[in-house]
Short mmCIF file of all heavy atoms in Angstrom, two decimals:
data_model
loop_
_atom_site.label_atom_id
_atom_site.label_comp_id
_atom_site.label_asym_id
_atom_site.label_seq_id
_atom_site.Cartn_x
_atom_site.Cartn_y
_atom_site.Cartn_z
N LYS A 1 8.01 -2.89 -7.05
CA LYS A 1 8.26 -3.79 -5.90
C LYS A 1 7.96 -3.15 -4.54
O LYS A 1 7.45 -3.81 -3.67
CB LYS A 1 9.68 -4.37 -5.90
CG LYS A 1 10.08 -5.05 -7.18
CD LYS A 1 9.19 -6.22 -7.50
CE LYS A 1 9.68 -6.89 -8.77
NZ LYS A 1 8.66 -7.60 -9.46
N VAL A 2 8.30 -1.88 -4.34
CA VAL A 2 8.01 -1.18 -3.09
C VAL A 2 7.58 0.24 -3.44
O VAL A 2 8.21 0.89 -4.27
CB VAL A 2 9.23 -1.12 -2.14
CG1 VAL A 2 8.91 -0.32 -0.89
CG2 VAL A 2 9.69 -2.52 -1.77
N LEU A 3 6.50 0.70 -2.80
CA LEU A 3 5.99 2.05 -3.05
C LEU A 3 5.69 2.74 -1.73
O LEU A 3 5.18 2.11 -0.81
CB LEU A 3 4.71 1.99 -3.89
CG LEU A 3 4.84 1.43 -5.30
CD1 LEU A 3 3.46 1.15 -5.88
CD2 LEU A 3 5.60 2.40 -6.17
N SER A 4 5.97 4.03 -1.67
CA SER A 4 5.68 4.77 -0.45
C SER A 4 4.30 5.43 -0.55
O SER A 4 3.79 5.68 -1.64
CB SER A 4 6.73 5.86 -0.22
OG SER A 4 6.58 6.90 -1.17
N VAL A 5 3.73 5.70 0.61
CA VAL A 5 2.44 6.39 0.67
C VAL A 5 2.55 7.75 0.00
O VAL A 5 1.68 8.14 -0.78
CB VAL A 5 1.98 6.53 2.14
CG1 VAL A 5 0.77 7.46 2.25
CG2 VAL A 5 1.66 5.16 2.73
N GLU A 6 3.63 8.46 0.26
CA GLU A 6 3.80 9.80 -0.30
C GLU A 6 3.87 9.77 -1.83
O GLU A 6 3.26 10.60 -2.51
CB GLU A 6 5.06 10.48 0.26
CG GLU A 6 4.95 10.87 1.72
CD GLU A 6 5.09 9.68 2.66
OE1 GLU A 6 5.67 8.64 2.26
OE2 GLU A 6 4.60 9.77 3.80
N TYR A 7 4.60 8.81 -2.37
CA TYR A 7 4.73 8.67 -3.83
C TYR A 7 3.36 8.39 -4.45
O TYR A 7 2.96 9.03 -5.42
CB TYR A 7 5.72 7.56 -4.16
CG TYR A 7 5.80 7.26 -5.64
CD1 TYR A 7 6.50 8.08 -6.51
CD2 TYR A 7 5.15 6.14 -6.18
CE1 TYR A 7 6.57 7.81 -7.87
CE2 TYR A 7 5.21 5.86 -7.53
CZ TYR A 7 5.92 6.69 -8.37
OH TYR A 7 5.98 6.43 -9.72
N LEU A 8 2.63 7.43 -3.88
CA LEU A 8 1.32 7.07 -4.41
C LEU A 8 0.34 8.23 -4.29
O LEU A 8 -0.46 8.48 -5.19
CB LEU A 8 0.78 5.84 -3.69
CG LEU A 8 1.46 4.52 -4.02
CD1 LEU A 8 1.02 3.44 -3.06
CD2 LEU A 8 1.17 4.12 -5.46
N SER A 9 0.40 8.95 -3.18
CA SER A 9 -0.48 10.08 -2.96
C SER A 9 -0.27 11.15 -4.03
O SER A 9 -1.22 11.66 -4.63
CB SER A 9 -0.23 10.66 -1.57
OG SER A 9 -1.00 11.81 -1.37
N ALA A 10 0.99 11.47 -4.31
CA ALA A 10 1.30 12.48 -5.33
C ALA A 10 0.92 11.99 -6.73
O ALA A 10 0.36 12.74 -7.53
CB ALA A 10 2.78 12.84 -5.27
N LEU A 11 1.23 10.74 -7.01
CA LEU A 11 0.97 10.18 -8.33
C LEU A 11 -0.52 10.09 -8.63
O LEU A 11 -0.96 10.40 -9.74
CB LEU A 11 1.62 8.80 -8.44
CG LEU A 11 1.51 8.10 -9.78
CD1 LEU A 11 2.37 8.83 -10.81
CD2 LEU A 11 1.93 6.66 -9.67
N LEU A 12 -1.30 9.65 -7.64
CA LEU A 12 -2.72 9.42 -7.86
C LEU A 12 -3.59 10.62 -7.49
O LEU A 12 -4.81 10.58 -7.69
CB LEU A 12 -3.16 8.18 -7.08
CG LEU A 12 -2.43 6.89 -7.47
CD1 LEU A 12 -2.83 5.74 -6.56
CD2 LEU A 12 -2.70 6.54 -8.92
N GLY A 13 -2.98 11.66 -6.93
CA GLY A 13 -3.72 12.87 -6.61
C GLY A 13 -4.73 12.71 -5.49
O GLY A 13 -5.81 13.27 -5.54
N THR A 14 -4.37 11.91 -4.49
CA THR A 14 -5.25 11.70 -3.34
C THR A 14 -4.48 12.00 -2.06
O THR A 14 -3.26 12.17 -2.08
CB THR A 14 -5.77 10.25 -3.28
OG1 THR A 14 -4.65 9.38 -3.14
CG2 THR A 14 -6.54 9.88 -4.52
N SER A 15 -5.18 12.03 -0.96
CA SER A 15 -4.53 12.29 0.31
C SER A 15 -3.77 11.05 0.78
O SER A 15 -4.12 9.92 0.41
CB SER A 15 -5.56 12.68 1.37
OG SER A 15 -6.32 11.55 1.75
N PRO A 16 -2.75 11.24 1.60
CA PRO A 16 -2.03 10.10 2.15
C PRO A 16 -2.95 9.16 2.95
O PRO A 16 -2.78 7.94 2.90
CB PRO A 16 -0.98 10.74 3.06
CG PRO A 16 -0.75 12.09 2.47
CD PRO A 16 -2.08 12.52 1.95
N MET A 17 -3.95 9.71 3.62
CA MET A 17 -4.87 8.86 4.38
C MET A 17 -5.68 7.95 3.47
O MET A 17 -5.92 6.78 3.78
CB MET A 17 -5.80 9.73 5.23
CG MET A 17 -6.57 8.97 6.27
SD MET A 17 -5.45 8.23 7.46
CE MET A 17 -6.12 6.59 7.57
N THR A 18 -6.08 8.46 2.31
CA THR A 18 -6.81 7.64 1.33
C THR A 18 -5.92 6.49 0.85
O THR A 18 -6.38 5.34 0.75
CB THR A 18 -7.26 8.50 0.13
OG1 THR A 18 -8.15 9.50 0.61
CG2 THR A 18 -7.95 7.66 -0.93
N ILE A 19 -4.67 6.78 0.59
CA ILE A 19 -3.73 5.74 0.15
C ILE A 19 -3.55 4.71 1.26
O ILE A 19 -3.54 3.51 1.00
CB ILE A 19 -2.38 6.35 -0.27
CG1 ILE A 19 -2.56 7.28 -1.49
CG2 ILE A 19 -1.35 5.27 -0.55
CD1 ILE A 19 -3.07 6.59 -2.74
N ARG A 20 -3.40 5.17 2.50
CA ARG A 20 -3.25 4.22 3.62
C ARG A 20 -4.45 3.30 3.72
O ARG A 20 -4.30 2.09 3.94
CB ARG A 20 -3.04 4.97 4.92
CG ARG A 20 -1.68 5.58 5.07
CD ARG A 20 -1.48 6.19 6.46
NE ARG A 20 -0.34 7.06 6.43
CZ ARG A 20 -0.38 8.38 6.22
NH1 ARG A 20 -1.54 8.99 6.06
NH2 ARG A 20 0.72 9.09 6.18
N ARG A 21 -5.64 3.85 3.56
CA ARG A 21 -6.85 3.01 3.60
C ARG A 21 -6.84 1.99 2.47
O ARG A 21 -7.18 0.82 2.66
CB ARG A 21 -8.11 3.87 3.54
CG ARG A 21 -8.47 4.53 4.85
CD ARG A 21 -9.86 5.14 4.82
NE ARG A 21 -9.96 6.26 3.89
CZ ARG A 21 -9.77 7.53 4.23
NH1 ARG A 21 -9.46 7.85 5.48
NH2 ARG A 21 -9.88 8.48 3.34
N ASP A 22 -6.43 2.43 1.26
CA ASP A 22 -6.35 1.51 0.13
C ASP A 22 -5.33 0.41 0.40
O ASP A 22 -5.59 -0.77 0.14
CB ASP A 22 -5.97 2.25 -1.16
CG ASP A 22 -7.09 3.10 -1.71
OD1 ASP A 22 -8.27 2.86 -1.36
OD2 ASP A 22 -6.79 4.01 -2.52
N LEU A 23 -4.17 0.79 0.92
CA LEU A 23 -3.12 -0.20 1.19
C LEU A 23 -3.57 -1.18 2.28
O LEU A 23 -3.29 -2.38 2.19
CB LEU A 23 -1.82 0.49 1.59
CG LEU A 23 -1.17 1.37 0.51
CD1 LEU A 23 0.12 1.99 1.04
CD2 LEU A 23 -0.92 0.60 -0.77
N ASN A 24 -4.26 -0.68 3.29
CA ASN A 24 -4.77 -1.56 4.33
C ASN A 24 -5.79 -2.55 3.76
O ASN A 24 -5.76 -3.74 4.08
CB ASN A 24 -5.38 -0.77 5.49
CG ASN A 24 -4.34 -0.09 6.33
OD1 ASN A 24 -3.19 -0.52 6.39
ND2 ASN A 24 -4.72 0.98 7.00
N PHE A 25 -6.68 -2.06 2.90
CA PHE A 25 -7.67 -2.91 2.27
C PHE A 25 -6.98 -4.00 1.44
O PHE A 25 -7.30 -5.18 1.56
CB PHE A 25 -8.60 -2.08 1.38
CG PHE A 25 -9.58 -2.90 0.60
CD1 PHE A 25 -10.80 -3.26 1.16
CD2 PHE A 25 -9.30 -3.33 -0.69
CE1 PHE A 25 -11.71 -4.03 0.45
CE2 PHE A 25 -10.20 -4.09 -1.42
CZ PHE A 25 -11.41 -4.45 -0.84
N LEU A 26 -6.04 -3.59 0.60
CA LEU A 26 -5.33 -4.54 -0.26
C LEU A 26 -4.49 -5.51 0.56
O LEU A 26 -4.39 -6.70 0.23
CB LEU A 26 -4.46 -3.79 -1.27
CG LEU A 26 -5.24 -2.96 -2.30
CD1 LEU A 26 -4.30 -2.03 -3.05
CD2 LEU A 26 -6.00 -3.85 -3.25
N GLY A 27 -3.90 -5.03 1.65
CA GLY A 27 -3.13 -5.91 2.52
C GLY A 27 -4.02 -6.92 3.23
O GLY A 27 -3.65 -8.09 3.36
N ASN A 28 -5.19 -6.49 3.68
CA ASN A 28 -6.13 -7.40 4.34
C ASN A 28 -6.64 -8.47 3.39
O ASN A 28 -7.00 -9.56 3.81
CB ASN A 28 -7.30 -6.63 4.94
CG ASN A 28 -6.90 -5.82 6.14
OD1 ASN A 28 -5.90 -6.10 6.79
ND2 ASN A 28 -7.67 -4.79 6.44
N HIS A 29 -6.67 -8.17 2.10
CA HIS A 29 -7.08 -9.14 1.09
C HIS A 29 -5.88 -9.87 0.49
O HIS A 29 -6.00 -10.53 -0.54
CB HIS A 29 -7.91 -8.45 0.01
CG HIS A 29 -9.28 -8.09 0.47
ND1 HIS A 29 -9.56 -6.93 1.16
CD2 HIS A 29 -10.45 -8.77 0.38
CE1 HIS A 29 -10.84 -6.90 1.46
NE2 HIS A 29 -11.40 -8.01 1.00
N GLU A 30 -4.73 -9.72 1.13
CA GLU A 30 -3.50 -10.42 0.76
C GLU A 30 -3.06 -10.17 -0.67
O GLU A 30 -2.52 -11.05 -1.34
CB GLU A 30 -3.63 -11.91 1.05
CG GLU A 30 -3.88 -12.20 2.52
CD GLU A 30 -3.94 -13.67 2.85
OE1 GLU A 30 -3.78 -14.51 1.93
OE2 GLU A 30 -4.14 -13.99 4.03
N LEU A 31 -3.27 -8.94 -1.15
CA LEU A 31 -2.83 -8.57 -2.49
C LEU A 31 -1.48 -7.86 -2.47
O LEU A 31 -0.86 -7.67 -3.51
CB LEU A 31 -3.89 -7.70 -3.16
CG LEU A 31 -5.24 -8.39 -3.36
CD1 LEU A 31 -6.29 -7.39 -3.81
CD2 LEU A 31 -5.11 -9.53 -4.35
N LEU A 32 -1.06 -7.43 -1.29
CA LEU A 32 0.23 -6.80 -1.12
C LEU A 32 0.65 -6.95 0.33
O LEU A 32 -0.13 -7.40 1.16
CB LEU A 32 0.20 -5.31 -1.53
CG LEU A 32 -0.82 -4.38 -0.88
CD1 LEU A 32 -0.44 -3.97 0.52
CD2 LEU A 32 -0.98 -3.15 -1.75
N GLN A 33 1.87 -6.56 0.60
CA GLN A 33 2.39 -6.62 1.97
C GLN A 33 2.59 -5.19 2.45
O GLN A 33 3.27 -4.40 1.80
CB GLN A 33 3.72 -7.37 2.02
CG GLN A 33 4.28 -7.49 3.41
CD GLN A 33 5.56 -8.31 3.43
OE1 GLN A 33 6.00 -8.81 2.40
NE2 GLN A 33 6.15 -8.42 4.59
N ARG A 34 1.98 -4.86 3.56
CA ARG A 34 2.16 -3.53 4.14
C ARG A 34 3.53 -3.45 4.79
O ARG A 34 3.96 -4.37 5.48
CB ARG A 34 1.09 -3.24 5.20
CG ARG A 34 -0.25 -2.91 4.64
CD ARG A 34 -0.29 -1.55 3.97
NE ARG A 34 -0.60 -0.51 4.93
CZ ARG A 34 0.04 0.64 5.02
NH1 ARG A 34 1.02 0.93 4.21
NH2 ARG A 34 -0.31 1.54 5.90
N VAL A 35 4.23 -2.36 4.53
CA VAL A 35 5.51 -2.09 5.17
C VAL A 35 5.43 -0.68 5.74
O VAL A 35 4.55 0.10 5.38
CB VAL A 35 6.69 -2.22 4.18
CG1 VAL A 35 6.82 -3.64 3.66
CG2 VAL A 35 6.56 -1.24 3.02
N HIS A 36 6.34 -0.36 6.62
CA HIS A 36 6.33 0.96 7.24
C HIS A 36 6.41 2.05 6.17
O HIS A 36 7.36 2.09 5.40
CB HIS A 36 7.51 1.08 8.22
CG HIS A 36 7.52 2.38 8.96
ND1 HIS A 36 6.64 2.64 9.96
CD2 HIS A 36 8.28 3.47 8.81
CE1 HIS A 36 6.86 3.85 10.42
NE2 HIS A 36 7.86 4.37 9.74
N GLY A 37 5.38 2.89 6.11
CA GLY A 37 5.38 4.00 5.16
C GLY A 37 4.94 3.67 3.76
O GLY A 37 5.03 4.51 2.87
N GLY A 38 4.46 2.46 3.53
CA GLY A 38 4.04 2.12 2.17
C GLY A 38 3.62 0.67 2.03
O GLY A 38 3.02 0.09 2.92
N ALA A 39 3.98 0.10 0.89
CA ALA A 39 3.60 -1.28 0.58
C ALA A 39 4.66 -1.92 -0.29
O ALA A 39 5.40 -1.24 -1.00
CB ALA A 39 2.26 -1.32 -0.14
N GLY A 40 4.71 -3.24 -0.22
CA GLY A 40 5.63 -4.00 -1.05
C GLY A 40 4.93 -5.19 -1.67
O GLY A 40 3.79 -5.50 -1.32
N VAL A 41 5.60 -5.82 -2.57
CA VAL A 41 5.07 -7.01 -3.22
C VAL A 41 4.87 -8.09 -2.17
O VAL A 41 5.71 -8.28 -1.30
CB VAL A 41 6.03 -7.50 -4.33
CG1 VAL A 41 5.55 -8.80 -4.93
CG2 VAL A 41 6.20 -6.44 -5.39
N LYS A 42 3.77 -8.78 -2.26
CA LYS A 42 3.48 -9.85 -1.31
C LYS A 42 4.48 -10.98 -1.50
O LYS A 42 4.67 -11.47 -2.60
CB LYS A 42 2.07 -10.37 -1.52
CG LYS A 42 1.65 -11.41 -0.53
CD LYS A 42 0.21 -11.81 -0.79
CE LYS A 42 -0.23 -12.88 0.15
NZ LYS A 42 0.42 -14.16 -0.07
N ARG A 43 5.13 -11.35 -0.42
CA ARG A 43 6.08 -12.46 -0.48
C ARG A 43 5.32 -13.76 -0.42
O ARG A 43 4.55 -14.00 0.49
CB ARG A 43 7.04 -12.42 0.71
CG ARG A 43 8.22 -11.52 0.49
CD ARG A 43 9.18 -11.67 1.61
NE ARG A 43 10.08 -12.77 1.30
CZ ARG A 43 11.07 -13.15 2.08
NH1 ARG A 43 11.26 -12.54 3.21
NH2 ARG A 43 11.86 -14.13 1.73
N SER A 44 5.55 -14.59 -1.38
CA SER A 44 4.93 -15.90 -1.35
C SER A 44 5.94 -16.90 -0.83
O SER A 44 7.14 -16.64 -0.80
CB SER A 44 4.46 -16.31 -2.75
OG SER A 44 5.57 -16.54 -3.58
N GLU A 45 5.45 -18.01 -0.43
CA GLU A 45 6.36 -19.04 0.08
C GLU A 45 7.31 -19.52 -1.01
O GLU A 45 8.41 -19.97 -0.73
CB GLU A 45 5.55 -20.20 0.64
CG GLU A 45 4.82 -19.82 1.92
CD GLU A 45 4.04 -20.97 2.50
OE1 GLU A 45 4.35 -22.13 2.15
OE2 GLU A 45 3.14 -20.71 3.28
#
């Protein structure tokens, strides 16, 4: 439901900046909701 940049970075073996770019991409395509320091499940109406 909610994941932090640091957790994803460690889990996937990438830099935090790479994760932020991925989260921004996914957020821009409305696949998740960006939250401070990570991402959460997209809230639907």
Side-chain angles (χ1 to χ4, degrees):
K1 307 299 182 205
V2 177
L3 296 168
S4 71
V5 170
E6 290 76 22
Y7 174 77
L8 288 169
S9 176
L11 183 69
L12 300 174
T14 61
S15 72
M17 192 63 226
T18 298
I19 297 298
R20 285 186 196 95
R21 282 192 294 268
D22 287 340
L23 296 180
N24 287 335
F25 175 86
L26 294 168
N28 289 338
H29 286 85
E30 299 183 1
L31 298 171
L32 56 77
Q33 181 177 358
R34 284 289 273 134
V35 297
H36 184 74
V41 175
K42 184 177 178 292
R43 275 187 87 179
S44 68
E45 291 181 20

